[in-house]
Amino acid sequence: MHKWIMFVLLSAASLLGVYLLTFGLPAKPVDESASLPEGTVLVKVEANSDFTYGEEEYKVKVGDKVILKLQNKSGIHGLKIDELNVDLEGDNLETNLEFDKPGEYVMHCSVPCGTGHMEMKTKLIVEAA
């Protein structure tokens, strides 16, 4: 009896292996910031279903060319910075920014996404170079 169970498990694992080799393994994650020019910083903000962003704060330096990119991990969210007139939502999930002075900017969700929408906030901190 145990031999048959082991045979079935081994066969299933072998078939899964052949399937993955034939149709391709999942793609490896790509480091998007590796191909950016000198002085350009990618700030990727991940929006989660528990009404949080990936980090409590994001830091950049004065003079950096910043690519601000929103990635919705689950659900539909937006990202808005009122002081900079930035609103990332829908098809527009990326923008370019450049800062000439230090400061702090509150980033909040701009798409009504549920009960925790009003508390969905993070900070962008611009530090002196």
Side-chain angles (χ1 to χ4, degrees), residues 83-120:
E83 298 89 353
L84 303 175
N85 294 325
V86 170
D87 192 5
L88 304 179
E89 64 179 64
D91 293 335
N92 177 31
L93 297 178
E94 186 175 317
T95 190
N96 297 322
L97 301 168
E98 195 166 345
F99 299 96
D100 57 355
K101 60 183 176 181
E104 283 190 19
Y105 302 93
V106 175
M107 300 188 289
H108 61 91
C109 185
S110 60
V111 175
C113 55
T115 57
H117 168 71
M118 296 303 289
E119 290 81 37
M120 192 168 178

